[in-house]
């Protein structure tokens, strides 16, 4: 570092400068430029990581509480007079019995001092609207509970859940808070009696969506996503790889194939909602594919994924050295055998990477699905590709629109699940590439 | 044949006409292009890559149980000519071939002729060893598998062993047949490729600079192998090494800028070249 400065500042004594002096003189500037570039690169990476950390921190801090659910222990008297007046344990009678009344009666027994209609309505709001269903299931599974009193952990109402999780500020004046002072007293009493508990929220993974945040789960959206993506893969992978193979290895190189190639590249950049419009116009209106179903969703997403898979597959095929093709042709393999026995296996890691990246994009896609009716509010978990369904991103979109405090944490939790799937898929892409990468 | 010849003369214009004027046999080649017991007979072969006229009126016989060496400076068309003999040029876009090439009397550029069985009859060994990224066994067995040459696993095992033995590789790999062929050394890989080629029992073996990527010891082994293989197969070899051509071949063909300038017995070509270009090349004045 010290050498160049004197050499540069003392030109007169050395009229013919040696090359090394000129090099040394410029060295400092060159290194400074390099340092600047490195600094910019490093700070860009740091900034990016910072944003990711903030995003994740925000989502996790909002969403982690959704994985727990508040339960309230209530002694329930399974009154045979209400549930089974005839005494013959007829399943039909048991199914239609007044479980809501039973839950209400149990609550009144637990808090005998609460009287008056408005107060009692507040009392009932402690427990979720899903509680009668819970009791009914219990009776169906264990008819022997009839006539006994059991302590039952019932799902708490959304507001109580929020309060227990600390999402509602007790210090606010009563008028600004969703929970009245009287309810606070009730909850505090339950707490001191040890009748309030938080458990892992299995319902979040086994329930369909619901109007009640405490009952809403992602099972329906997960099933919808599974059917849609499985069908998307089934449609787009063989067609995409086949198209790439034909275009890359078999099609004549002329103006038409050039045009097709340009258009495939363009298609990869088409906004996804356009594919949704296409699906609406063609698949639903012309071919009469049932709307809101994973079937039509998969058709649209397959169209959207195809360019990605074709482009990645062509690149992978192109990177297979021609010597392998010559070797296979040289021993008398037909062109198709050459491709399927030798070229395709070698290109497969690249093809799979492209396919998985395409699928990951399809997994996160909501816009085109809105156009084909997959935004419907569907409580039932779809059982097949022709059942109405929704998918995770759309579910997230729907929940994010809901004003209830309980849906805020569920939105974040659903985002976490979606991100989890994305990470798993991308990891799979990396591992597959590592596993099947071969040298030649 | 005459009609075709005149047509080609018109096609190629002055250059070919001048070459013809130089005298000699077909299209200006000096020396005897024929051989008493030909396996493949090539007459007035022309190849174009797009507009580039890569091979001009080349006529040459590939004799039975004989090694024909093709030498010449880079870009002279010797590899192109070799690749015509099993229609490997079909895979190159914009490549056109005119003229007549027969294998045992059968025109190989007939419209109805399928290049797939042709390539089983005319095998090829490439410049860079290109084993499949599969096991050594699979490499040798592949050709037999796709053509259905064997009926049982035992037959296939035997075929793999004989092929590897003929290629002089058996003793080196017999204990690791299930290991990838790409894990062998360069010379072993090239012998594996030769084993793969002879496993489908071709009649003619084409070798495109088979030793150019190998060290001298591996080269010597391959050259010995070529000499042994000659007893069963007809061999055409392209080489940049004149010493190699002199060592392994019986006949030598000298290519220059797409023309076949001189053909003859190897000893004659190397000791007493008749054409000025051949002499210049052999004495190392260019190339």
């Amino acid at each position: 570092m010290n050498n160049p400065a004197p050499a540069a500042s003392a030109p007169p004594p050395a009229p013919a400068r040696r090359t090394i002096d000129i090099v040394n003189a410029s060295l400092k500037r060159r290194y400074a430029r390099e340092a600047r570039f490195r600094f910019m690169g490093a700070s860009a990476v740091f900034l990016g990581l910072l944003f990711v950390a903030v995003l994740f921190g925000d989502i996790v801090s909002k969403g982690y509480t959704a994985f727990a659910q508040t339960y309230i222990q209530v002694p329930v008297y399974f009154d045979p007079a209400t549930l089974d007046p005839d005494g013959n344990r007829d399943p039909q009678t048991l199914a239609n019995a007044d479980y809501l009344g039973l839950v209400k009666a149990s609550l009144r027994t637990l808090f005998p001092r609460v009287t008056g209609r408005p107060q009692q309505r507040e009392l009932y709001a402690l427990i979720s609207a899903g509680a009668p269903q819970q009791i009914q299931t219990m009776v169906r599974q264990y008819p022997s509970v009839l006539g006994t009193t059991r302590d039952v952990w019932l799902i708490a109402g959304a507001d109580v859940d929020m309060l227990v999780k600390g999402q509602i500020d007790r210090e606010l004046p009563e008028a600004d808070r969703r929970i009245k002072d009287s309810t606070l007293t009730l909850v505090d009493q339950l707490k001191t009696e040890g009748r309030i508990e938080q458990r892992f929220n299995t319902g979040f993974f086994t329930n369909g969506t619901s109007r009640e945040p405490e009952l809403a789960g992602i099972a329906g959206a997960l099933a919808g996503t599974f059917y849609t993506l499985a069908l998307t893969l089934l449609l787009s992978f063989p067609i995409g790889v086949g198209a790439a193979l034909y275009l890359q290895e078999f099609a004549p190189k002329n103006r038409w194939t050039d045009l097709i190639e340009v258009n495939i590249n363009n298609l990869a950049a088409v906004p996804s909602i356009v594919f949704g419009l296409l699906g609406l116009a063609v698949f639903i209106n012309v071919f009469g594919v049932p709307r809101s179903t994973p079937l039509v969703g998969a058709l649209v997403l397959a169209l959207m994924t195809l360019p990605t898979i074709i482009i990645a597959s062509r690149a992978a095929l192109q990177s297979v050295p021609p010597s392998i093709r010559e070797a296979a042709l040289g021993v008398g393999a037909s062109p198709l055998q050459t491709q399927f026995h030798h070229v395709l296996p070698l290109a497969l890691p690249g093809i799979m990477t492209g396919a998985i990246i395409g699928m990951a994009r399809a997994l996160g896609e909501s816009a085109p699905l809105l156009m084909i009716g997959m935004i419907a509010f569907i409580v039932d978990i779809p059982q097949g590709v022709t059942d109405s369904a929704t998918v995770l991103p759309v579910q997230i979109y729907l929940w994010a629109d809901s004003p209830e405090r309980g849906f805020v944490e569920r939105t974040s939790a659903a985002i976490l699940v979606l991100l989890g799937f994305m990470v798993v898929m991308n990891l799979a892409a990396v591992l597959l590439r590592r596993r099947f990468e071969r040298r030649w | 044949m005459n009609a075709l010849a005149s047509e080609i003369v018109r096609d190629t214009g002055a250059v070919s006409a001048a070459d013809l004027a130089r005298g000699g046999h077909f299209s200006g080649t000096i020396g005897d292009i024929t051989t008493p017991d030909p396996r493949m007979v090539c007459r007035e072969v022309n190849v174009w890559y797009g507009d580039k006229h890569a091979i001009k009126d080349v006529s040459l016989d590939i004799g039975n149980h004989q090694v024909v060496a093709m030498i010449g400076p880079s870009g002279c068309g010797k590899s192109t000519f070799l690749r015509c003999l099993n229609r490997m040029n079909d895979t190159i876009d914009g490549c056109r071939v005119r003229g007549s090439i027969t294998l045992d009397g059968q025109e190989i550029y007939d419209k109805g002729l399928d290049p797939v069985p042709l390539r089983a009859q005319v095998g090829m060994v490439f410049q860079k060893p290109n084993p499949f990224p599969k096991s050594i066994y699979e490499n040798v067995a592949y050709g037999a598998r796709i053509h259905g040459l064997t009926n049982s696993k035992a037959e296939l095992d035997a075929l793999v062993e004989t092929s590897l033995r003929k290629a002089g590789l058996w003793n080196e790999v017999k204990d690791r047949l299930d290991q990838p062929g790409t894990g062998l050394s360069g010379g072993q890989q090239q012998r594996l490729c030769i084993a793969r080629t002879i496993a489908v029992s071709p009649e003619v073996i084409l070798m495109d600079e088979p030793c150019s990527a190998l060290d001298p010891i591996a080269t010597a082994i391959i050259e010995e192998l070529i000499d042994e293989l000659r007893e069963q197969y007809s061999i055409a070899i392209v080489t940049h090494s004149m010493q190699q051509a002199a060592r392994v071949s019986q006949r030598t063909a000298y290519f220059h800028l797409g023309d076949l300038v001189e053909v003859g017995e190897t000893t004659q070509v190397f000791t007493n070249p008749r054409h000025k270009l051949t002499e210049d090349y052999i004495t190392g004045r260019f190339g």
Side-chain angles (χ1 to χ4, degrees):
Chain A
M1 266 307 161
N2 292 331
N3 290 342
S9 61
R17 292 173 73 190
R18 288 160 57 220
T19 313
I20 187 69
D21 295 330
I22 302 170
V23 171
N24 283 340
S26 70
L27 218 48
K28 195 175 172 182
R29 199 157 34 86
R30 281 150 64 180
Y31 283 146
R33 200 174 282 174
E34 192 170 311
R36 269 202 302 282
F37 186 78
R38 279 177 188 222
F39 173 75
M40 285 192 287
S43 43
V45 169
F46 174 76
L47 208 63
L49 287 177
L50 191 73
F51 280 133
V52 170
V54 167
L55 176 73
F56 269 79
D58 183 53
I59 295 171
V60 171
S61 67
K62 274 187 191 151
Y64 79 98
T65 48
F67 295 109
Q69 174 67 47
T70 309
Y71 283 79
I72 297 178
Q73 194 191 37
V74 179
V76 177
Y77 175 54
F78 292 87
D79 187 3
T82 325
L83 302 180
D84 193 19
D86 308 335
N88 54 9
R89 308 268 159 112
D90 176 32
Q92 192 61 43
T93 321
L94 285 178
N96 293 334
D98 179 16
Y99 291 98
L100 183 60
L102 195 73
V103 171
K104 286 179 177 176
S106 307
L107 282 169
R108 283 197 303 270
T109 327
L110 188 59
F111 295 101
R113 278 180 297 173
V114 179
T115 51
R117 285 221 155 238
Q119 286 79 10
Q120 281 184 347
R121 204 173 297 136
E122 269 173 49
L123 176 64
Y124 302 150
L126 286 180
I127 299 295
S128 161
Q133 180 76 33
Q134 223 182 327
I135 304 271
Q136 187 195 356
T137 313
M138 237 180 118
V139 171
R140 199 178 58 231
Q141 280 178 343
Y142 313 102
S144 60
V145 296
L146 274 176
T148 61
T149 304
R150 299 284 171 103
D151 277 339
V152 184
W153 288 99
L154 295 173
I155 299 173
D159 290 339
V160 177
D161 190 36
M162 289 298 106
L163 179 73
V164 172
K165 286 172 179 169
Q167 312 264 28
I168 293 179
D169 191 356
R170 305 175 68 120
E171 308 303 318
L172 283 173
E174 188 177 10
D176 293 352
R177 143 161 62 77
R178 270 190 71 86
I179 289 194
K180 295 217 176 97
D181 285 344
S182 49
T183 312
L184 275 182
T185 343
L186 293 178
V187 172
D188 289 341
Q189 191 188 334
L190 284 170
K191 251 187 198 161
T192 45
E193 287 174 22
R195 287 185 181 277
I196 283 193
E197 188 175 286
Q198 285 203 50
R199 295 188 192 168
F200 180 70
N201 189 1
T202 45
F204 184 65
F205 297 99
T206 56
N207 294 347
T209 184
S210 168
R211 298 256 181 248
E212 312 294 333
E214 74 273 12
L215 298 176
I218 54 167
L222 274 183
T225 297
F226 170 77
Y227 288 124
T228 308
L229 278 192
L231 203 57
T232 303
L233 185 67
L234 222 59
L235 289 170
S236 61
F237 190 74
I239 297 177
V241 174
L245 203 56
Y246 176 73
L247 286 174
Q248 189 65 31
E249 306 284 342
F250 292 96
K253 303 272 174 288
N254 57 30
R255 208 176 300 171
W256 291 110
T257 45
D258 284 349
L259 193 72
I260 289 171
E261 186 173 348
V262 168
N263 279 304
I264 288 172
N265 292 337
N266 283 340
L267 275 180
V270 166
S272 56
I273 197 151
V274 176
F275 286 103
L277 284 167
L278 178 83
L280 178 64
V282 176
F283 295 135
I284 295 180
N285 289 345
V286 176
F287 292 108
V289 179
R291 63 197 201 91
S292 297
T293 57
L295 178 63
V296 68
L299 287 170
V300 167
L301 290 181
L303 283 185
M304 204 194 76
T305 336
L306 266 177
T308 317
I309 295 184
I310 293 176
I311 291 169
S313 302
R314 290 190 68 168
L317 289 170
Q318 205 161 21
S319 70
V320 174
S323 66
I324 294 293
R325 293 180 181 83
E326 289 187 331
L329 291 173
V331 291
S334 71
L336 201 67
Q337 284 174 326
T338 304
Q339 297 302 331
F340 277 92
H341 295 170
H342 301 288
V343 179
L344 209 51
L346 288 174
L348 214 51
I351 292 176
M352 282 193 291
T353 310
I356 291 172
I357 287 170
M359 294 308 291
R361 205 183 136 204
L363 172 69
E365 201 57 71
S366 58
L369 301 180
L370 303 185
M371 302 307 299
I372 50 167
M374 288 190 91
I375 193 174
F377 175 80
I378 292 145
V379 178
D380 294 330
I381 296 167
Q383 300 299 320
V385 292
T386 51
D387 285 356
S388 289
T390 190
V391 292
L392 260 181
V394 176
Q395 187 69 76
I396 290 167
Y397 171 75
L398 283 170
W399 282 353
D401 244 13
S402 305
E404 285 95 338
R405 190 67 188 73
F407 277 123
V408 174
E409 60 168 26
R410 277 175 158 70
T411 306
S412 294
I415 291 173
L416 280 179
V417 172
L418 185 66
L419 284 176
F421 273 99
M422 296 264 186
V423 169
V424 167
M425 285 180 86
N426 282 311
L427 210 64
V430 172
L431 290 178
L432 280 174
R433 201 168 42 203
R434 288 256 179 87
R435 170 77 183 73
F436 290 104
E437 200 142 71
R438 276 185 272 194
R439 295 179 174 280
W440 46 75
Chain B
M1 197 59 91
N2 276 338
L4 182 67
S6 59
E7 191 188 339
I8 288 164
V9 170
R10 254 190 284 114
D11 256 12
T12 54
V15 179
S16 262
D19 284 352
L20 272 176
R22 217 159 46 199
H25 296 81
F26 296 100
S27 66
T29 305
I30 293 178
D32 189 5
I33 58 156
T34 61
T35 181
D37 182 14
R39 203 76 209 238
M40 298 193 83
V41 177
C42 313
R43 289 294 175 268
E44 279 120 15
V45 176
N46 283 272
V47 179
W48 290 266
Y49 291 127
D51 294 333
K52 188 174 178 287
H53 198 174
I55 298 273
K56 299 162 193 165
D57 282 337
V58 170
S59 300
L60 184 66
D61 287 358
I62 314 287
N64 213 355
H65 305 310
Q66 198 181 52
V67 178
V68 179
M70 301 173 194
I71 58 171
S74 295
C76 65
K78 53 197 190 304
S79 282
T80 299
F81 178 69
L82 193 75
R83 291 168 65 95
C84 288
L85 299 179
N86 68 346
R87 293 187 57 175
M88 280 304 274
N89 281 338
D90 289 14
T91 60
I92 297 169
D93 284 322
C95 177
R96 284 179 298 131
V97 180
R98 288 257 298 274
S100 154
I101 301 175
T102 60
L103 171 66
D104 296 332
Q106 166 69 44
E107 178 60 56
I108 68 168
Y109 276 92
D110 256 358
K111 274 217 169 63
L113 189 115
D114 185 356
V116 169
L118 169 73
R119 288 179 195 139
Q121 287 173 288
V122 184
M124 188 153 190
V125 177
F126 297 87
Q127 181 171 1
K128 210 179 126 216
N130 56 354
F132 301 129
K134 298 175 190 260
S135 72
I136 293 169
Y137 184 94
E138 281 305 316
N139 260 288
V140 183
Y142 180 70
R145 265 194 218 283
I146 55 168
H147 295 303
L149 299 183
T150 54
N151 295 318
S152 66
K153 177 86 173 74
E155 262 184 75
L156 191 61
D157 287 348
L159 177 74
V160 169
E161 182 177 339
T162 39
S163 305
L164 283 170
R165 273 191 199 285
K166 279 189 201 164
L169 194 60
W170 175 251
N171 287 329
E172 293 162 56
V173 301
K174 63 182 173 196
D175 299 323
R176 44 172 175 155
L177 290 175
D178 56 340
Q179 285 178 20
T182 42
L184 298 172
S185 74
Q188 287 174 324
Q189 283 189 20
Q190 195 61 297
R191 277 180 286 154
L192 178 62
C193 293
I194 293 174
R196 179 177 68 192
T197 305
I198 55 188
V200 290
S201 5
E203 291 158 35
V204 181
I205 299 177
L206 310 176
M207 297 186 171
D208 191 356
E209 299 180 40
C211 300
S212 66
L214 305 182
D215 65 58
I217 295 169
T219 302
I221 296 173
I222 302 263
E223 283 179 8
E224 250 171 68
L225 178 60
I226 292 171
D227 207 46
E228 285 166 27
L229 291 175
R230 175 166 67 87
E231 288 163 21
Q232 278 177 294
Y233 309 98
S234 308
I235 296 174
I237 178 171
V238 163
T239 177
H240 265 298
S241 157
M242 279 172 285
Q243 292 84 346
Q244 184 172 65
R247 280 192 299 260
V248 300
S249 71
Q250 283 72 52
R251 288 168 73 225
T252 297
Y254 173 69
F255 284 74
H256 186 86
L257 295 178
D259 288 303
L260 178 53
V261 173
E262 181 166 351
V263 188
E265 297 291 323
T266 298
T267 42
Q268 174 258 308
V269 171
F270 279 99
T271 53
N272 185 22
R274 305 223 296 257
H275 197 286
K276 177 88 168 62
L277 286 170
T278 318
E279 190 185 337
D280 287 352
Y281 182 70
I282 285 167
T283 51
R285 225 161 281 169
F286 68 88

